[in-house]
Amino acid sequence: MSDSEEYLNFLELFNETYDMTDASYVVSNSVQLCAKQSVNQFGARFIPVFYYVNFLLSYLGNGLVLFIIYKYEKLNTVTNIFLLNLVLSNILFASSLPFWATYHLSEWIFGMALCKMVSSAYFIGFYSSILFLTLMTFDRYLAVVHAVAAAKSRKKAYAIIASVTVWFISIVASVKELVLQNVWESPFGGLMCEESGYPESTMERWRLVSYYQQFLLFFLLPLFMVMYCYISITVRIMSTRMKEKCRAIKLIFVIIFTFFVCWTPYNIVILLRAVQISSTGEAEDSCSESESLDYALYVTRNIAYLYCCISPLFYTFVGKKFQSHFRRLMAKKIPCLKRHISLNSQSTRTTSQRTPHSAYEY
């Protein structure tokens, strides 16, 4: 059989199998596929280095705070219990970053179990960090605004129960990652660790739940709660004319302000993504809009990750109590500073004895 005869037979078979004139094969809407190669290349260049650096700085910063708590503090105060849990949540969150950095460099090489565990660790650490920060602010509010009533309720058991509740809520909110995260092979990107295994409509509903849950429960509610507590604390401080305590109020403000500066852009992008998914109409430039949100997500998410590096520095280098502990630690490592450290430590102890209220000491 000649080549021309083979080609004619192929066309005849093709027309018999796929009758293109049949109305059932007519599609009214065009299907637009977004390759997003430029977005993926941008992520592959930018994210891994940032993740590794963030991981190292987070472990150094949080590890230093953890060591100071272990060396010089006791876990018999509510503040220290909350601070310990905040540091642990930051460390848990940072532990996922090397895995994601390697993933962006090539593909997911760690298997199905770690895909689910690393994804869960990221969200558990993220959610618990937000809740512990809010809980610490609320605890300061009780200690300052309702000092008499709080003196009876702010016990070790209260701190333990509140901490367990925060971890429970964070784990429950992250169960979705254990269920939906799967490893599958993409013809373009190799092994992928992403949400898969269910119909697209189901996945879309779960994404919406996740986006709105993060924005409302883990951003908007803490934001309003922190603003209320901080305003109440500020009013209380100003009414007592305790000018020496303004430094601690500034510290609280800087911590909260920095946190929301880091996380607000990311949550706004998350909300825009949710609105885009919820939108019934499809714009002609849906691909360009999607790519723009992807770029914004890469940038704002990495800005948000910076908080894991920044937050321990406030407690270590800005808080008066942790400054004293840090100087004592440095005095042991650098003997020539010992005399200077001793004088500062004595001054700190004298100041603390003269101060009747210790609720602002960090």
Side-chain angles (χ1 to χ4, degrees):
M1 183 181 295
S2 64
D3 293 339
S4 59
E5 289 177 336
E6 288 182 357
Y7 180 71
L8 291 175
N9 289 336
F10 169 77
L11 289 179
E12 184 179 356
L13 179 63
F14 181 85
N15 291 329
E16 288 178 356
T17 307
Y18 300 100
D19 185 4
M20 304 306 291
T21 61
D22 189 350
S24 62
Y25 287 92
V26 177
V27 180
S28 58
N29 297 325
S30 60
V31 178
Q32 190 175 16
L33 298 178
C34 303
K36 299 185 180 181
Q37 292 181 355
S38 59
V39 177
N40 294 333
Q41 291 174 357
F42 171 78
R45 289 194 304 266
F46 174 70
I47 289 179
V49 174
F50 190 90
Y51 279 11
Y52 283 125
V53 172
N54 202 346
F55 167 76
L56 293 175
L57 293 178
S58 297
Y59 261 67
L60 288 175
N62 287 286
L64 177 60
V65 177
L66 195 62
F67 182 77
I68 289 176
I69 293 175
Y70 169 77
K71 190 74 174 178
Y72 302 110
E73 291 289 322
K74 295 181 179 179
L75 291 179
N76 55 2
T77 65
V78 173
T79 300
N80 286 344
I81 293 175
F82 288 157
L83 180 56
L84 174 64
N85 281 276
L86 176 62
V87 169
L88 292 178
S89 67
N90 285 340
I91 291 176
L92 178 64
F93 173 81
S95 299
S96 66
L97 298 183
F99 294 93
W100 296 127
T102 305
Y103 178 38
H104 282 283
L105 279 174
S106 56
E107 59 180 355
W108 187 261
I109 60 176
F110 304 105
M112 177 73 75
L114 277 178
C115 173
K116 294 177 177 293
M117 292 173 60
V118 170
S119 300
S120 300
Y122 160 73
F123 281 100
I124 293 173
F126 164 63
Y127 292 150
S128 59
S129 178
I130 297 172
L131 295 181
F132 276 119
L133 180 72
T134 307
L135 189 59
M136 289 179 68
T137 306
F138 179 70
D139 180 65
R140 295 296 89 197
Y141 163 78
L142 292 179
V144 176
V145 180
H146 304 284
V148 177
K152 300 178 181 180
S153 60
R154 291 180 69 249
K155 304 296 182 181
K156 187 175 181 179
Y158 145 75
I160 294 175
I161 293 173
S163 299
V164 171
T165 303
V166 166
W167 285 112
F168 176 77
I169 293 174
S170 302
I171 292 173
V172 170
S174 306
V175 167
K176 176 181 73 72
E177 306 306 315
L178 284 174
V179 177
L180 297 182
Q181 289 291 118
N182 291 292
V183 177
W184 57 281
E185 188 169 2
S186 168
F188 304 103
L191 294 176
M192 312 290 289
C193 174
E194 294 180 354
E195 298 175 349
S196 61
Y198 293 87
E200 183 59 30
S201 58
T202 303
M203 302 294 296
E204 196 171 271
R205 284 195 296 269
W206 275 110
R207 291 191 194 103
L208 284 175
V209 170
S210 179
Y211 289 156
Y212 284 119
Q213 168 188 276
Q214 179 171 319
F215 183 80
L216 297 175
L217 184 60
F218 294 102
F219 176 71
L220 208 57
L221 181 61
L223 174 62
F224 287 140
M225 196 169 175
V226 165
M227 289 177 61
Y228 172 78
C229 291
Y230 178 75
I231 292 172
S232 301
I233 291 173
T234 304
V235 171
R236 178 67 173 176
I237 293 291
M238 294 306 175
S239 65
T240 56
R241 298 180 181 178
M242 297 167 59
K243 295 183 179 179
E244 67 273 13
K245 297 305 179 182
C246 289
R247 182 177 180 276
I249 291 299
K250 290 178 182 178
L251 171 61
I252 297 174
F253 174 76
V254 169
I255 294 173
I256 303 303
F257 177 78
T258 307
F259 174 83
F260 284 106
V261 164
C262 288
W263 284 104
T264 298
Y266 175 59
N267 281 275
I268 291 176
V269 174
I270 288 295
L271 180 62
L272 291 176
R273 269 201 160 187
V275 171
Q276 186 185 51
I277 293 176
S278 303
S279 178
T280 54
E282 295 186 3
E284 293 181 358
D285 57 343
S286 59
C287 265
S288 61
E289 290 180 359
S290 180
E291 285 191 2
S292 299
L293 282 180
D294 286 337
Y295 279 115
L297 184 64
Y298 276 136
V299 175
T300 57
R301 185 171 59 191
N302 286 294
I303 293 174
Y305 288 173
L306 282 175
Y307 190 78
C308 289
C309 300
I310 295 173
S311 60
L313 302 181
F314 291 127
Y315 299 104
T316 307
F317 297 106
V318 182
K320 185 182 295 184
K321 183 192 294 186
F322 278 85
Q323 275 186 1
S324 176
H325 293 329
F326 183 74
R327 286 194 294 264
R328 290 171 60 187
L329 181 63
M330 290 296 100
K332 291 184 178 181
K333 304 297 181 182
I334 309 176
C336 63
L337 297 177
K338 187 172 183 179
R339 183 180 179 182
H340 180 68
I341 296 297
S342 299
L343 292 174
N344 283 344
S345 299
Q346 180 65 34
S347 176
T348 301
R349 286 195 295 270
T350 303
T351 304
S352 300
Q353 290 173 357
R354 292 179 180 177
T355 303
H357 303 280
S358 60
Y360 305 93
E361 296 294 333
Y362 277 83

